[in-house]
Amino acid sequence: MNPGQNDIIILMVVAPLFASIIVPIVGWRAKKLCYSLTILAVLISLFSSLITAKTVMNHGPVQYYLGGWKPPWGIEFYIDHLNAFIAVVVTFISFLGVIFSKTNVENDLPNKEGAFYSLFLLLITGLLGIVLTGDMFNLFVFLEVASLSSYALIAMGEKGAMYASFRYLLIGTVGASWYMLGVGYLYIVTGSLNMANLSELLPALYQSKTILVGFAFILFGVGIKMALFPLHAWLPDAYTYAPSAVSAMVAPLMTKVMIYVVIRVIFTVFQPEFTVDMIQATSILSWFGVLAILFGGIMALSQTDFKRMLCYIIVGEIGYIVGGVGIANATALKGAIFHILNDALMMVCLFFVAGMVMYRKKGHRISDFKGIFREMPFAAIIFTVGALAVIGVPPTGGFFSKWYLLLGGIEAKHWGFVVALLISTLINVALFARVFDKGLYVHGHGSDHSSESTDHSSGTLVQKTPLSMWIPAVIVILAILLAGIFNQAILKNIVQFAVPSGL
Amino acid sequence: MGDLAKEFVTTYNYWVYIILMMIGLYAVMVKNNLVKKIIGMNIVQTAIILFFISIGAKRGATIPIIAHGHNGGEHAVHAADYINPLPHVLMLTAIVVAVATLGVALSLAIKIYQEYGTLEEDDIRTQTREE
Amino acid sequence: MKAFALIIVILCAGLLIYGTSDFPPWSDPESPASTHVSPYYIEHTIEDTSVPNIVTSVLADYRGFDTMFETIVIFTAGIACFFLLRVTKREDHESRLYHHLVTGVTLRIKEGGKLPDESEEFRRVDTEWVPYSLIIKITCRLIVPFIMLFALYVIAHGHHSPGGGFQGGVIIGAAMILFAISNDLRAAILRLSEKMATFFCSAGVFIYAGTGLLCLLLGLNFLDYGALAKILFTDPVTARSHGILAVEIGVGIAVMGVVVSIYYNLSSAGKHDEGL
Amino acid sequence: MTGMFGIEYRPLSAVLLPIIVAFLILLSNKRPNLRESWTLLGSVLLFLTVSSMSPIVLAEGPIQWTWFNLLPNIDFAFNVDAFGLVFATTSSSLWILVSLYSIGYMRSLKEHAQTRYYFCFALALLGAIGIALSSNLVTMFVFYEILTLSTYPLVAHEESPEAISAGHKYLAYLLGGGVFFLIGILMTYLLVGTTDFNAHGILSPALGPASKLTLQVVFFCFLLGFAKAAWMPVHSWLPSAMIAPTPVSALLHAVAVVKAGVFGVIRIVCYIYGIDLMQELGLGLALASIAAFTIVVANLYAIGQDNLKRMLAYSTINQLSFILIAVALLSPMAVAGAMLHITFHGFMKITLFLCAGAITAISGKKAISEFKGLGRAMPITMTAFLIGAFGMFGAPPLAGFISKWHVVLGAVQSGQLVFLTIILIGSILDVVYFCPVIINTFFGKMPETETLKGDLEEKVEVYSEKVERLETKRPIYYFMIIPLAITAVFSIIFCILPNTFSIYDLVQMAVKDIFGGM
C-alpha cells in the first residue's frame, strides 16, 4: 500500500492535537476563535474517522506505521472494524460535546476558554489515541493524556468537584499504574509491547504464572478506569460535580473507551482460548457485569440527584457491556459492541438534558425537573427519547443492543445475566418514571384544574435555551433513533466483523 | 524451601519493588492527609519505574551508548554488550507522566485547601456531609 | 478501613509475588526482554539513525510517537495547572507590603486600602518577607547562566551521551526556579512572563508535532524523519539524526515552559504575585 | 388490482396517520378547536383507510408491506390479514366515537392538559393499529410498548397521588409483562429463527430440538407478557386504572389496551403455536383453566362493587377471560366466537363506559347506590346502559348473543363440557351484578332532595350553582350522548347484521386460514 494513502488516519489524532497546542495562544487575543477552532479540529477528526471506517469496511484492517518503523520495533496504529467503529463513536460524541460546551464555558469559566478547549481537545486526542494504537505502552501514554485532562476538567465543576476529582486522580493513577505493571509483566516474558506481536508470542506462554498475573493486573487497572463494580467508587462523585459540558462528554466516552481496551486485551492480545477456555476470565467478568447491573440499578433508585442517578445508570450500563463481553459468544459480543454506541448516545443525550436543566434552573436534582414538560418542552422531548433508549424501548437503538445481549445470554445459558438485564430494564422504568412524573404532573390533587392557559406559555421559553445546546441534542436524538432503525446496516457492515474470529 | 530460596535469590529485586509498591498503595488507601496520599501515589509510580528498570538489566553489558560513535560500521555491534534500552525509554515516559500527575495532584490539593481550609480527609468528609 | 486496606495490599503483593515465580532470572542476557525486540535497536541504531545513544534513538525515533505524547502529557499538566489554579479575577482582600526604595521604609497596606501607583519608588515585597541573604542572591544569579549553558549542552549532546530534551528542559526550568526562589516570584515573572512560558509550552510541542507533520507533508509517514532529507539535502540516515535533534529541542523548550509555568502557578496558588 | 394506487401503502398510511395527527395536535396546542378537529379528522380518515382494506383482504388475501430490516430474518413489516383487520376496524371505528365523546367530556369538566391528553390518545391508537397490522412478534412488540407508554400519562391524567400511583401500577404490570413478552420473542427467535405470524403456527418444528417443557414455559412467558389481557392474577392494574378520565377508560380499557392483550394471546395461540401444537402440549387446557378461574373470581368481585367504573372493570376482566376461554377451546366455532367477541364486546362495553362517564359528568355520581331514579332523568343514557348490560349477558337481539352462541357451539364441538358450564355460569353472573344498577336506575326512587325530572332545564335547578356552566354545556352534552347512542345502536345492529363492516366475513376467513376450512 502506498505510504500516502492512509495519511488520513493520523489526522484523526493530529488535528485535535495541533488545535490543542494553538488554542491557548489564540485564547489571549480572540476568545471566540477558540470555540470555532475546536469545532474545526474535531470536525476534521470526525471526517477522518468516517473515511477510515469506510476504508476498513472496504479493504479490511489498516495499519499505519508511525515514524515508518515496522511494528515490533516501532509504534503502529492498527485499525480493524472494532476500533474503526469505536473511533467513529468517539469523534461523533466529541463533536456534539464540543458544540454543547459553548454556553457552559462562557458562563462558568470566564477567561479560561483557551485552557478549557485545549484540555477538551487533549482529552479527545487521548481517547482517540487509546482507540487507535496498536502498542500496549503507547496506550498507557494516551491513557494518561486523557486522564490528566479529565481530572482538570472535572475539577472545575461545582462545589465538591475538587475533592471528587482528587479522589479520581488517586484511584485513576493507581489504575493506570496497575495497567502499566501488567504490561511490564507481559513484557518481561515476551520482550514485546506490540499487540499483534504479543498475540503471536503469548500462546506459547499460556501456562506461565507471570502471564496470568499480568493479565489480571491489566484488567484491574482498566477495570478501575472504566468503573466496573466494585471499582466504581470514584465515578458518581466525579461525574456529578463536573461542569455539565464536561460530564456530557467524559461520562459517555471515558468508560466506553476503556471497555474497548478490555475487549482488545481479552480477544486480541490474548486469544479466546486463553481468556475464555483456560482461565475462564470471561465468565468471572460476566458475573461482575451482573453485579454491576444490579448494584447500579439499586443505587440509582436511591438517588435524588439526576446526574448522580445517571452516574449509577452508567455503572449499570457498564455491567451490560462487560456482561456481554464476558458471555463471549458472537451474539452477545455483537450486542456489547453495538451497545457501546447506543450507550454513548443515550448517556450523552441525558447529560445534555441535565446540562439544559442546569442552565435554566441552576440545579440538577430530580426536583429541579418539576414541570419541564411545560417550561422546556424541547428538553423534555430529548429527555423522553433518551429515557426510552435507556429503558430499551424499540425503535430506539437501546432495544436492539439489548436484544443481542439477551439473545447471547440465552444462547450461553447465562441465566444470571439475562435475569439481571431484565430486572435492570424494570428498574430503569422506575427511575425514569420518577423524573417523568416530576416533569409531567405539576398539578397534583386539589390544585386548579383550569390551567389550560399554562399550555400557552411554553412557546416563548424554547428560545431561551441557546442554539449551541439544542443543535447537538437534536442530532443525538436523531442518532439514537437512526441507530435503532438502521441497526442492521450498522451490524452487518461493521460490528459483525468487529467480533473476534475465534468465537 | 530450597526452591523458595533460589527464587528469592534470582528475583529478590522484584520482591523489593513489590514491597515498595505496596507501601505506596497502603498510603494511598489509608493515610488521612491528602499530601501523604500524593506521596503514596508517587511511591507506587516509582516502584513501577524500578521494576521496569530492572527488566533492562543484562549481565556483562554496559550502558546503551555505542562506543566509537559513528564508526559503528567498522565495529560490529553485539546486542549482548549493551543493556536493554527499551525499558529506559519507557521509564523516561513514565517519569514524565509521574511528574505531570504530581503537578496536577498538587494543584488540586491547593484548591481543596482553599475550599475546605484543611487537607485532612476526614475533615473534608465531615464538611461535605454537613451540607 | 485500615484492616481492609491491609488485606487488599497483602493480596496484591501475594499475587504479584506469585507472578514473579515465572520471571526469567534477573539480568539474564537470554531473557526474552533482552532477546526479542531490543537487540534490533542496539544493532541498527547507527545504520538507521546514526545516533550512538540508543536510548535517544529509541526515544525520539523508533518510539518517537510515544515521546511526542509524553511531551503532550507534560503540556497537559501545564495547562491543567493553569486551568485549575490561575486566578484571573483580582480579589484584593489581603494586606500587602510595599518597599519605598527612596526612604527604605516598608509600608503595610491593609485589606482594601489604596495601593501605591506603579512607580519606580515603590516595590512590592512578599508579606512574609525576610530580607534575602545577599550571598545567596548573588551566587544564584551567577550560577544560573552556567546551569542554563549546561542544559543546552545536555540537550544538544543527547545523541552521544546521556541527556536529551527532557533532561535539558528540566535543567533550564530548574534554573528559572532557582532564580525565582533566590529572588522573588515577581522578579522571575519580569524576566520570563507567564504568557511567554505558556508560549514556550506550545511552541515546544509545536516544534515536535510540526516536525512530524512536515514529514507527513513531505510524503512519508508521520514522524518519519527520513523525509526531511529532501529539505536538508542529506541522506535519510543523517536526516533522521537531525530530525531527532529538532524534536529534542522542541521537547526541551516545552518542558522548560511547563516546569516554569507549573512552578508559577503552584507557588503562588495561581495569583502570580507572592511566591515562595 | 395493481392498477389501484397505493394498496400496498395502506397499512403504512394507517400507521402514519395517528403519528401525523399526534404531531398536528402538539403543534396546535394553543387552539383547542383546531386541535380537536385534527383528532376527529384523523379518526375518520383512519377508519376509512382501515375499512377500505377489508374488501381487498377478503378478495385477495393479506396485504403485505415491508418497511425495513430490523434484525436478521425479522423485518419491520405489516401484514394485514383478516384477523388483524377485525381488531383494527374495531379500534379505529371506536376512536371516532370516543373522540367525539372526549370533546364533550373534557370540555364539560374543564380538564387540564388537554393537549397532552389528545396527543397520547393518538399515540395509543397508533399502538393499537400497529399491533393489529404487524406481521411479526417484534413489530408487534414495538407497538405494544408504544401503547403501554402512551397510555401511562392518560391513566395518571388526574395527577392526584392516587392517579399517579395507579399509573405506576399500570406501568409496572404492563412493562413487567413486556419483559416476559420479550423473553418469549427471544426464545421463539432462538428456536425457529423467525417470528412471523403464520396461520398454522411456526413453533411446531421446534418441538423436536426443544423439550415440551421449554415450549410450555415460553407459552407462559407470552401469557405473562400479555398482562394487558388482565387474566388473574395479573389483573389488578385494570381496576386501579379506572381512575383515568372516562373516555380513557372507555377506549383503552374496553378496546385498545385490553383487546390488544387478548388479540396478542390469540396471535400467540393460533399464529405462533398453532392449534395442533397447542393441543399436543396441553396448553389449551391450561389457558382455559386460568380463564375459567378468572371468570368466576372476577364475577364475584364485580358483584361486590359499588363504584360503577370499578364494577365495569371487573366485568371487563370477566369478558376478556371469556374470550381467552373461547380461544383455549381450540375449536373453529369457539375461535370464531372469540374473534367476534373482540369487536362486539368492544362496542357493548364502550357503551357502558360512556354511560358511566355521562352519568358522572352530568350528575356527579359514581356509586351505584346513588343512582336511584336516574333512569327517568337520563333516559337515553340509561337505555343505552341497559342495552350494554344485556349484551354482556348475551341476550338476543344484542351483539353479545352472536359471539356467545358461537362460543357455546364451539365448546360443544370440542366436547369441553366443564368449560361450557363455566361459560354459562359466567353469563348468568353477568346479569347478577348488573341487576343492582338496573334496579336502582329504573325502579329506584330519587331521594327527596333531588328531583330530577329527566329534563335538562330542570336539572339546572338542582345544580343551581352550575347554571352557567350547564347552559354552555348543552351542545357539549350532545357530544356525549350521541356517541353512546350510536354504540348502543350498533350493539343491536351487530346482532341483526353481523356482517357490518365485513366483520363476520373477516372472522370466517381468519378461522378458515387457521383450521384450513371449517
Side-chain angles (χ1 to χ4, degrees):
Chain A
M1 204 176 278
N2 113 51
Q5 200 175 343
N6 289 326
D7 285 348
I8 198 85
I9 295 170
I10 193 72
L11 269 187
M12 217 189 303
V13 178
V14 168
L17 170 67
F18 267 97
S20 76
I21 302 167
I22 296 166
V23 158
I25 309 293
V26 170
W28 298 338
R29 289 259 166 251
K31 284 174 185 164
K32 291 261 163 61
L33 209 56
C34 294
Y35 180 62
S36 332
L37 258 178
T38 311
I39 288 187
L40 180 71
V42 181
L43 201 59
I44 293 175
S45 226
L46 176 61
F47 276 116
S48 153
S49 72
L50 287 173
I51 293 168
T52 311
K54 201 160 180 299
T55 317
V56 171
M57 273 154 62
N58 292 338
H59 305 292
V62 182
Q63 281 166 300
Y64 189 87
Y65 302 151
L66 288 148
W69 298 110
K70 288 222 157 44
W73 303 290
I75 293 169
E76 64 164 341
F77 276 179
Y78 184 87
I79 299 147
D80 60 7
H81 291 83
L82 177 60
N83 39 4
F85 177 68
I86 308 276
V88 174
V89 175
V90 172
T91 46
F92 181 64
I93 302 280
S94 318
F95 179 59
L96 298 181
V98 171
I99 299 179
F100 187 81
S101 65
K102 186 165 185 260
T103 356
N104 188 217
V105 179
E106 279 171 1
N107 292 346
D108 303 339
L109 301 165
N111 299 324
K112 286 189 178 174
E113 284 95 343
F116 176 88
Y117 284 115
S118 177
L119 288 170
F120 219 74
L121 286 162
L122 287 166
L123 174 65
I124 297 167
T125 315
L127 292 174
L128 280 173
I130 296 174
V131 172
L132 297 180
T133 188
D135 188 279
M136 294 294 269
F137 193 81
N138 194 229
L139 199 155
F140 166 77
V141 178
F142 278 117
L143 182 62
E144 282 296 335
V145 173
S147 307
L148 276 179
S149 42
S150 67
Y151 302 144
L153 288 171
I154 285 170
M156 287 311 269
E158 317 153 23
K159 195 166 169 27
M162 287 291 168
Y163 181 56
S165 170
F166 185 82
R167 278 183 52 196
Y168 179 24
L169 183 144
L170 284 182
I171 300 175
T173 307
V174 170
S177 301
W178 277 0
Y179 171 81
M180 185 162 69
L181 191 63
V183 173
Y185 269 58
L186 299 191
Y187 178 70
I188 202 169
V189 288
T190 60
S192 180
L193 291 169
N194 184 278
M195 291 181 187
N197 194 227
L198 275 173
S199 71
E200 288 161 17
L201 292 170
L202 282 173
L205 295 161
Y206 278 162
Q207 301 298 333
S208 162
K209 294 168 198 161
T210 310
I211 292 297
L212 183 65
V213 174
F215 176 73
F217 270 81
I218 289 178
L219 273 200
F220 289 163
V222 179
I224 285 179
K225 282 278 181 186
M226 74 173 170
L228 174 61
F229 177 83
L231 306 170
H232 66 281
W234 57 269
L235 184 139
D237 273 348
Y239 292 173
T240 306
Y241 297 129
S244 36
V246 174
S247 42
M249 161 121 167
V250 181
L253 287 186
M254 194 74 181
T255 47
K256 303 299 155 320
V257 167
M258 294 327 287
I259 287 168
Y260 156 76
V261 176
V262 168
I263 298 177
R264 252 297 169 253
V265 169
I266 290 184
F267 296 112
T268 306
V269 177
F270 291 87
Q271 300 292 323
E273 56 257 36
F274 176 70
T275 43
V276 179
D277 302 330
M278 271 181 62
I279 60 169
Q280 312 244 317
T282 48
S283 77
I284 299 169
L285 209 58
S286 71
W287 283 105
F288 275 109
V290 171
L291 286 178
I293 294 172
L294 296 177
F295 175 84
I298 291 165
M299 287 304 287
L301 272 179
S302 65
Q303 303 305 322
T304 54
D305 185 296
F306 182 68
K307 266 171 104 177
R308 191 175 282 269
M309 182 183 100
L310 291 184
C311 290
Y312 280 106
I313 292 178
I314 290 183
V315 172
E317 297 282 335
I318 291 163
Y320 282 26
I321 304 173
V322 168
V325 172
I327 284 170
N329 60 23
T331 319
L333 209 59
K334 232 190 273 178
I337 295 168
F338 189 42
H339 200 65
I340 291 180
L341 166 69
N342 288 324
D343 188 35
L345 284 176
M346 58 214 196
M347 280 303 143
V348 86
C349 173
L350 290 174
F351 273 102
F352 279 168
V353 175
M356 287 174 174
V357 172
M358 177 79 188
Y359 176 72
R360 283 283 295 276
K361 304 213 171 182
K362 304 292 165 226
H364 43 66
R365 301 177 70 76
I366 293 179
S367 50
D368 292 323
F369 277 69
K370 191 161 185 201
I372 59 160
F373 277 78
R374 251 166 233 287
E375 291 169 34
M376 313 168 65
F378 183 73
I381 292 172
I382 295 161
F383 166 74
T384 313
V385 175
L388 292 183
V390 174
I391 295 169
V393 177
T396 58
F399 170 74
F400 296 96
S401 42
K402 230 176 229 183
W403 167 274
Y404 282 101
L405 286 172
L406 281 170
L407 212 59
I410 296 174
E411 262 176 34
K413 301 219 176 339
H414 195 303
W415 301 116
F417 181 66
V418 174
V419 170
L421 261 184
L422 297 174
I423 291 177
S424 123
T425 305
L426 291 180
I427 289 178
N428 284 339
V429 172
L431 285 175
F432 287 109
R434 265 197 321 164
V435 186
F436 206 70
D437 289 351
K438 268 272 181 296
L440 194 54
Y441 309 134
V442 282
H443 292 281
H445 198 56
S447 64
D448 65 324
H449 275 204
S450 58
S451 48
E452 189 73 0
S453 56
T454 46
D455 267 0
H456 305 264
S457 59
S458 51
T460 52
L461 291 172
V462 182
Q463 276 84 31
K464 277 194 180 174
T465 312
L467 213 63
S468 66
M469 281 186 158
W470 70 257
I471 286 179
V474 168
I475 297 176
V476 84
I477 56 172
L478 287 179
I480 288 176
L481 294 174
L482 292 179
I485 291 171
F486 295 108
N487 75 82
Q488 280 308 297
I490 299 171
L491 281 160
K492 275 187 186 149
N493 286 322
I494 191 152
V495 173
Q496 189 179 331
F497 301 103
V499 174
S501 50
L503 294 173
Chain B
M1 203 60 211
D3 277 358
L4 199 65
K6 187 174 160 240
E7 209 164 86
F8 180 76
V9 171
T10 52
T11 56
Y12 72 94
N13 58 318
Y14 298 119
W15 293 33
V16 172
Y17 105 81
I18 290 172
I19 292 165
L20 195 56
M21 183 177 167
M22 289 308 132
I23 291 171
L25 193 61
Y26 186 77
V28 171
M29 285 197 280
V30 168
K31 288 294 172 193
N32 199 23
N33 187 301
L34 297 188
V35 174
K36 287 184 183 167
K37 276 177 185 280
I38 295 175
I39 292 171
M41 181 185 88
N42 247 30
I43 294 176
V44 172
Q45 289 173 322
T46 314
I48 292 175
I49 292 170
L50 282 180
F51 164 63
F52 268 86
I53 293 296
S54 42
I55 300 176
K58 200 188 281 183
R59 217 175 301 115
T62 177
I63 55 163
I65 296 174
I66 292 170
H68 319 296
H70 287 290
N71 301 327
E74 294 157 27
H75 301 262
V77 180
H78 297 295
D81 296 339
Y82 302 97
I83 59 166
N84 184 352
L86 190 55
H88 295 239
V89 173
L90 302 184
M91 283 314 103
L92 261 169
T93 309
I95 291 169
V96 170
V97 167
V99 170
T101 318
L102 182 67
V104 176
L106 287 174
S107 328
L108 280 173
I110 289 175
K111 288 296 273 190
I112 289 174
Y113 187 77
Q114 285 173 353
E115 193 174 325
Y116 297 96
T118 175
L119 280 176
E120 300 297 315
E121 193 169 33
D122 44 10
D123 288 354
I124 297 171
R125 285 242 171 93
T126 24
Q127 282 189 35
T128 20
R129 219 170 287 140
E130 276 162 10
E131 278 161 20
Chain C
M1 185 62 202
K2 281 190 177 176
F4 178 66
L6 206 62
I7 292 169
I8 290 186
V9 163
I10 289 172
L11 279 178
C12 282
L15 199 57
L16 287 171
I17 288 178
Y18 172 75
T20 62
S21 59
D22 276 353
F23 273 14
W26 180 54
S27 76
D28 178 14
E30 299 303 314
S31 71
S34 304
T35 51
H36 181 51
V37 171
S38 70
Y40 178 88
Y41 299 134
I42 298 170
E43 284 159 13
H44 292 79
T45 174
I46 296 285
E47 62 190 70
D48 280 350
T49 66
S50 128
V51 174
N53 184 346
I54 307 164
V55 173
T56 301
S57 68
V58 175
L59 185 80
D61 198 351
Y62 293 105
R63 296 186 68 87
F65 192 62
D66 242 3
T67 311
M68 184 170 101
F69 276 91
E70 192 180 337
T71 325
I72 298 289
V73 168
I74 210 95
F75 174 73
T76 311
I79 298 285
C81 284
F82 169 84
F83 183 61
L84 287 173
L85 286 172
R86 189 74 173 101
V87 183
T88 44
K89 248 187 238 158
R90 188 100 275 152
E91 296 158 23
D92 284 324
H93 292 305
E94 59 216 345
S95 55
R96 291 178 167 190
L97 288 187
Y98 280 89
H99 209 74
H100 191 229
L101 296 178
V102 183
T103 55
V105 179
T106 305
L107 300 170
R108 181 181 200 86
I109 315 270
K110 280 191 182 166
E111 295 171 17
K114 189 179 182 297
L115 301 175
D117 302 330
E118 294 282 329
S119 72
E120 288 294 308
E121 287 181 19
F122 288 98
R123 203 180 65 206
R124 190 160 167 214
V125 291
D126 292 358
T127 26
E128 287 163 24
W129 184 67
V130 259
Y132 289 109
S133 150
L134 200 61
I135 297 173
I136 293 179
K137 211 168 161 178
I138 299 297
T139 319
C140 288
R141 192 168 279 205
L142 278 176
I143 63 170
V144 161
F146 292 102
I147 298 178
M148 288 189 169
L149 203 60
F150 176 67
L152 293 180
Y153 171 80
V154 169
I155 295 177
H157 215 254
H159 285 42
H160 297 275
S161 61
F166 286 102
Q167 296 86 331
V170 168
I171 295 172
I172 303 184
M176 274 315 289
I177 293 174
L178 180 65
F179 181 76
I181 291 176
S182 60
N183 287 268
D184 59 9
L185 188 64
R186 285 179 305 279
I189 291 180
L190 270 180
R191 276 158 187 80
L192 180 62
S193 69
E194 183 201 7
K195 285 195 173 175
M196 209 54 203
T198 316
F199 177 74
F200 276 137
C201 300
S202 291
V205 180
F206 191 85
I207 290 173
Y208 202 142
T211 312
L213 199 64
L214 196 59
C215 303
L216 190 73
L217 295 176
L218 289 171
L220 286 183
N221 277 0
F222 190 71
L223 283 175
D224 192 340
Y225 310 129
L228 298 176
K230 285 181 195 166
I231 51 170
L232 295 174
F233 306 110
T234 51
D235 57 307
V237 175
T238 320
R240 283 192 172 274
S241 173
H242 292 320
I244 291 174
L245 183 64
V247 302
E248 292 274 20
I249 291 169
V251 170
I253 293 174
V255 170
M256 185 269 285
V258 171
V259 166
V260 172
S261 159
I262 291 183
Y263 174 78
Y264 285 173
N265 281 316
L266 276 184
S267 65
S268 65
K271 292 200 206 88
H272 286 208
D273 49 7
E274 298 182 5
L276 289 170
Chain D
M1 203 47 109
T2 42
M4 269 183 71
F5 171 72
I7 286 169
E8 64 272 28
Y9 286 103
R10 279 188 204 171
L12 179 67
S13 52
V15 172
L16 284 183
L17 252 174
I19 300 181
I20 295 166
V21 170
F23 280 96
L24 287 176
I25 289 169
L26 263 198
L27 288 179
S28 52
N29 71 334
K30 286 173 215 161
R31 280 183 268 165
N33 288 334
L34 185 62
R35 176 183 69 199
E36 279 137 38
S37 332
W38 289 128
T39 309
L40 280 176
L41 186 67
S43 57
V44 172
L45 280 177
L46 181 65
F47 175 67
L48 291 178
T49 315
V50 170
S51 52
S52 76
M53 284 190 282
S54 47
I56 303 165
V57 170
L58 282 172
E60 319 210 326
I63 305 173
Q64 284 175 339
W65 197 79
T66 306
W67 199 346
F68 51 82
N69 187 236
L70 271 183
L71 295 160
N73 280 331
I74 300 175
D75 291 326
F76 192 81
F78 302 111
N79 180 17
V80 188
D81 65 355
F83 178 43
L85 263 185
V86 171
F87 181 44
T89 311
T90 314
S91 3
S92 61
S93 60
L94 289 175
W95 189 24
I96 305 176
L97 299 173
V98 177
S99 301
L100 269 178
Y101 184 85
S102 295
I103 296 168
Y105 185 86
M106 298 302 275
R107 289 197 176 182
S108 71
L109 290 182
K110 299 212 164 171
E111 284 282 349
H112 60 106
Q114 293 196 18
T115 304
R116 181 179 83 203
Y117 172 86
Y118 287 109
F119 176 71
C120 291
F121 224 107
L123 282 187
L125 248 293
L126 163 71
I129 295 292
I131 290 172
L133 303 187
S134 51
S135 84
N136 57 44
L137 280 173
V138 178
T139 315
M140 192 177 187
F141 182 71
V142 174
F143 289 105
Y144 192 84
E145 298 283 290
I146 289 176
L147 181 55
T148 309
L149 292 170
S150 61
T151 42
Y152 165 61
L154 293 177
V155 171
H157 185 85
E158 204 181 297
E159 300 185 6
S160 61
E162 305 92 71
I164 290 179
S165 80
H168 287 173
K169 194 171 184 180
Y170 177 80
L171 264 193
Y173 270 88
L174 295 192
L175 286 177
V179 165
F180 284 98
F181 187 13
L182 184 60
I183 301 181
I185 298 173
L186 281 164
M187 290 303 296
T188 311
Y189 183 65
L190 274 177
L191 288 172
V192 289
T194 173
T195 63
D196 288 347
F197 298 126
N198 183 310
H200 303 291
I202 56 168
L203 270 177
S204 28
L207 192 56
S211 69
K212 274 189 174 185
L213 185 67
T214 318
L215 287 178
Q216 281 159 345
V217 170
V218 171
F219 183 76
F220 280 98
C221 283
F222 274 123
L223 213 50
L224 276 170
F226 291 106
K228 283 195 171 95
W231 47 275
M232 287 189 177
V234 291
H235 67 286
S236 77
W237 59 271
L238 186 59
S240 349
M242 285 302 147
I243 196 155
T246 308
V248 176
S249 313
L251 184 73
L252 307 180
H253 303 139
V255 189
V257 175
V258 292
K259 289 293 153 52
V262 175
F263 178 83
V265 174
I266 298 180
R267 276 282 194 223
I268 297 299
V269 169
C270 302
Y271 292 79
I272 294 294
Y273 275 75
I275 300 295
D276 297 337
L277 189 63
M278 287 292 289
Q279 256 155 3
E280 193 169 344
L281 294 173
L283 288 172
L285 195 64
L287 179 59
S289 314
I290 293 173
F293 170 76
T294 310
I295 289 181
V296 174
V297 178
N299 272 323
L300 294 178
Y301 269 114
I303 291 170
Q305 292 301 328
D306 189 37
N307 181 317
L308 179 60
K309 277 176 79 181
R310 284 186 82 84
M311 191 196 84
L312 290 177
Y314 282 107
S315 160
T316 306
I317 296 173
N318 159 27
Q319 296 291 334
L320 293 172
S321 282
F322 173 77
I323 301 177
L324 292 187
I325 212 171
V327 179
L329 292 172
L330 301 175
S331 66
M333 278 303 241
V335 172
M339 291 176 177
L340 285 175
H341 206 58
I342 288 183
T343 307
F344 294 172
H345 172 249
F347 272 88
M348 297 182 304
K349 187 47 72 57
I350 212 161
T351 312
L352 291 174
F353 270 113
L354 297 186
C355 292
I359 294 169
T360 314
I362 290 165
S363 73
K365 288 170 180 171
K366 287 181 174 172
I368 297 168
S369 49
E370 295 172 356
F371 284 0
K372 293 201 172 77
L374 272 183
R376 265 154 285 166
M378 309 169 71
I380 304 173
T381 313
M382 292 323 296
T383 311
F385 191 88
L386 199 64
I387 292 171
F390 276 103
M392 289 291 124
F393 164 57
L398 296 165
F401 169 71
I402 302 282
S403 47
K404 291 217 169 181
W405 176 250
H406 276 87
V407 174
V408 169
L409 280 185
V412 176
Q413 204 173 29
S414 63
Q416 301 278 12
L417 293 180
V418 181
F419 294 119
L420 177 65
T421 325
I422 287 173
I423 291 167
L424 293 176
I425 292 174
S427 295
I428 292 165
L429 284 174
D430 274 337
V431 189
V432 174
Y433 60 73
F434 275 115
C435 273
V437 189
I438 294 161
I439 292 169
N440 270 341
T441 46
F442 287 100
F443 305 107
K445 284 233 167 65
M446 190 153 290
E448 298 282 308
T449 47
E450 297 180 50
T451 48
L452 282 189
K453 294 253 175 64
D455 205 357
L456 204 63
E457 270 74 17
E458 276 161 274
K459 222 163 74 67
V460 171
E461 290 170 20
V462 181
Y463 300 97
S464 50
E465 76 276 15
K466 295 180 184 169
V467 170
E468 267 176 83
R469 273 178 66 184
L470 275 175
E471 277 302 324
T472 56
K473 227 158 105 177
R474 195 188 233 294
I476 295 169
Y477 174 74
Y478 289 116
F479 266 113
M480 291 163 77
I481 293 297
I482 291 168
L484 67 87
I486 294 174
T487 53
V489 170
F490 267 109
S491 302
I492 298 170
I493 291 177
F494 273 124
C495 181
I496 300 161
L497 301 165
N499 204 19
T500 317
F501 305 141
S502 327
I503 295 287
Y504 197 76
D505 288 346
L506 288 170
V507 169
Q508 289 295 340
M509 186 178 173
V511 171
K512 202 174 279 176
D513 283 343
I514 294 168
F515 290 92
M518 278 168 87

